[in-house]
């Protein structure tokens, strides 16, 4: 179920991006405008995360009913959670940890802000690249998690792990090159300026690059890959912050996701309101990423967008629940295998739906990404293992990771 919901989320988001919302009857495809609302898609993600509170509330009601009818017996005790992985997201690790409650809950707003930035950048990048390239580029996450873990969490990386990170970077570069050489056929040839998602400075840089490039389609693919790869910096920061919080405080993992959903949704809504009045209402910002009125019109007037929005929220909620249930019971090796299968399935489905074309260079990048990730997680041995004394590396994140889309 974790694999299914993860694949569905990426494909549904790309499906939304391909829905025409303006000038759909125009004969020239360049005059048609598709759904381009990455900020709204970020809000959808946080609504899906808030859905975790429904599961928490459901277990609380069941616990209360059992305690009244049969005497008190916690449904999700630590012993039962060890036996039943489904209960693991509802059990906090309490040894030598302070309960996370009261005003300390606000600490979870920090990873939420990182989640907002990273998710929005990835959603913008997905507008410009194929779904499989998007998923492969997210493999750069292990690079930043590794670097930040060494800097902030005082973890140690061995030489073979650093070489694995270099291989991952090469893989991401090859994937981006594959997209630039053979651009995504579903991408729009004239992308919107990047100012609406980053800043005026980013727009100036993008416009300058576009003016000097001979193929706008190749340029937009490169921009998309860079935005998705850059977003992994914020995602890695989010993981390190969560590691620090869960290592110091005791709280149920599913509640962490729920609180991050609440904080993320509130900040996103506040940001959308401010940016709508500052940019969305202007002539330049009309129909852009920050035009909240236009975004609401598109969601309410186009059934495909509305239905896919609901399905995205459900898939995110399901991925968080099943991800926490599974990944807190298996090894990093199994998690890497699941992520690899997720990328492979997204690629196969995208090819079947003709959302992208087959690229041999993309296979090379995918192989490099898989090998680098597997090498980093000790799933394969490094080529010089017979000449060196191999030590068992400690995990980068000592706490069981919280799965995110």
């Amino acid at each position: 179920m974790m694999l299914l919901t993860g694949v569905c989320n990426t494909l549904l988001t790309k499906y939304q991006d391909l829905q025409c919302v303006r000038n759909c009857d125009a004969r020239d495809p360049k005059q048609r405008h598709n759904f381009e609302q990455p900020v709204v898609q970020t809000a959808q993600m946080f609504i899906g995360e808030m859905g975790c509170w429904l599961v928490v509330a459901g277990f609380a009601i069941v616990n209360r009913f059992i305690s009244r009818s049969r005497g008190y017996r916690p449904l999700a005790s630590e012993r039962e959670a060890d036996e039943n992985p489904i209960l693991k997201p509802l059990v906090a690790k309490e040894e030598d940890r302070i309960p996370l409650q009261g005003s300390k809950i606000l600490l979870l707003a920090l990873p939420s802000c990182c989640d907002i930035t990273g998710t929005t950048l990835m959603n913008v990048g997905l507008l410009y690249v194929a779904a499989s390239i998007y998923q492969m580029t997210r493999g750069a996450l292990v690079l930043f998690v590794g670097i930040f873990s060494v800097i902030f969490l005082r973890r140690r990386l061995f030489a073979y792990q650093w070489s694995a990170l270099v291989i991952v970077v090469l893989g991401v570069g090859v994937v981006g090159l594959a997209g630039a050489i053979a651009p995504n056929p579903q991408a729009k040839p004239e992308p919107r300026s990047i100012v609406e998602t980053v800043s005026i400075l980013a727009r100036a840089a993008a416009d300058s690059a576009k003016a000097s490039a001979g193929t706008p389609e190749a340029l937009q693919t490169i921009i998309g890959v860079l935005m998705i790869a850059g977003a992994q910096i914020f995602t890695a920061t989010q993981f390190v912050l969560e590691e620090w919080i869960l290592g110091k405080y005791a709280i149920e993992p599913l509640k962490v996701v729920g609180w991050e959903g609440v904080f993320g949704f509130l900040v996103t809504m506040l940001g959308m309101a401010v940016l709508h009045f500052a940019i969305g209402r202007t002539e330049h910002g009309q129909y852009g990423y920050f035009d909240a009125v236009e975004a609401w019109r598109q969601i309410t007037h186009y059934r495909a967008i509305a239905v896919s929005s609901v399905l995205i929220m459900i898939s995110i909620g399901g991925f968080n629940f099943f991800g926490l249930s599974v990944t807190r019971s298996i090894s990093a090796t199994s998690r890497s295998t699941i992520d690899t299968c997720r990328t492979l399935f997204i690629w196969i489905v995208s090819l079947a739906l003709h959302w992208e074309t087959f690229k041999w260079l993309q296979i090379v990048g995918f192989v490099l990404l898989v090998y680098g990730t597997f090498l980093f997680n000790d799933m394969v041995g490094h080529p010089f293992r017979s000449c060196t004394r191999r030590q068992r590396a400690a995990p980068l994140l000592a706490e069981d990771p919280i799965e995110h889309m």
Side-chain angles (χ1 to χ4, degrees), residues 19-330:
Q19 299 307 303
C20 182
V21 292
R22 283 190 297 119
N23 298 332
C24 298
D25 296 329
R27 294 184 178 180
D28 186 358
K30 294 183 179 180
Q31 296 180 358
R32 301 170 190 168
H33 296 276
N34 292 348
F35 183 76
E36 298 180 352
Q37 297 296 337
V39 181
V40 171
Q41 290 173 332
T42 300
Q44 290 174 176
M45 181 199 70
F46 287 121
I47 293 174
E49 290 186 356
M50 286 194 296
C52 293
W53 285 111
L54 297 175
V55 180
V56 173
F59 273 89
I61 293 173
V62 172
N63 264 334
R64 191 168 184 178
F65 173 78
I66 292 176
S67 64
R68 284 184 176 180
S69 60
R70 304 179 184 178
Y72 180 75
R73 186 180 71 88
L75 181 60
S77 65
E78 291 191 32
R79 188 179 67 180
E80 288 180 325
D82 290 335
E83 298 174 354
N84 186 358
I86 295 297
L87 299 178
K88 281 185 176 289
L90 296 156
V91 178
K93 292 184 177 180
E94 298 181 353
E95 62 273 11
D96 301 325
R97 292 173 186 171
I98 307 169
L100 187 62
Q101 55 191 10
S103 60
K104 294 178 181 177
I105 290 292
L106 294 175
L107 287 172
L108 295 175
L110 296 176
S112 294
C113 291
C114 294
D115 203 2
I116 292 171
T117 308
T119 301
T120 303
L121 285 174
M122 286 190 287
N123 286 337
V124 176
L126 184 56
L127 292 172
Y128 302 147
V129 301
S132 64
I133 292 180
Y134 161 85
Q135 192 65 36
M136 291 180 190
T137 307
R138 291 183 63 178
L141 175 62
V142 67
L143 169 67
F144 298 111
V145 170
I147 294 174
F148 291 171
S149 296
V150 170
I151 296 175
F152 300 109
L153 300 179
R154 306 301 180 188
R155 301 287 192 264
R156 179 186 176 188
L157 293 183
F158 296 105
Y160 76 92
Q161 290 182 303
W162 285 113
S163 64
L165 295 181
V166 172
I167 293 173
V168 167
V169 173
L170 289 175
V172 172
V174 171
V175 167
L177 181 62
I181 294 176
N184 173 23
Q186 295 292 346
K188 294 166 283 301
E190 296 181 0
R192 292 183 175 275
S193 66
I194 308 305
V195 61
E196 298 173 342
T197 53
V198 188
S199 64
I200 298 297
L201 181 61
R203 180 196 174 196
D207 289 344
S208 176
K210 182 177 179 180
S212 61
T215 56
E217 294 87 350
L219 174 66
Q220 74 173 20
T221 300
I222 294 173
I223 291 176
V225 169
L226 290 177
M227 295 186 77
I228 296 168
Q232 306 315 305
I233 297 175
F234 297 96
T235 304
T237 304
Q238 176 188 353
F239 282 6
V240 172
L241 284 171
E242 289 173 345
E243 162 75 2
W244 176 76
I245 292 172
L246 290 176
K248 188 175 182 180
Y249 298 97
I251 184 172
E252 296 86 337
L254 205 60
K255 286 186 178 180
V256 173
V257 177
W259 278 117
E260 288 186 6
V262 171
F263 292 131
F265 180 75
L266 293 176
V267 174
T268 302
M269 289 295 101
L270 178 62
M272 285 181 64
V274 173
L275 292 171
H276 172 72
F277 288 104
I279 300 177
R281 294 180 63 185
T282 64
E283 182 179 355
H284 176 74
Q286 189 177 19
Y287 301 118
Y289 301 156
F290 298 141
D291 189 344
V293 174
E294 175 64 14
W296 177 252
R297 185 194 71 81
Q298 292 173 3
I299 293 174
T300 55
H301 281 68
Y302 295 92
R303 182 177 180 182
I305 296 177
V307 172
S308 60
S309 293
V310 174
L311 293 177
I312 287 172
M313 297 175 197
I314 295 173
S315 68
I316 289 174
F319 181 84
N320 282 317
F321 178 74
F322 291 113
L324 284 170
S325 300
V326 173
T327 59
R328 291 174 70 85
S329 306
I330 62 178

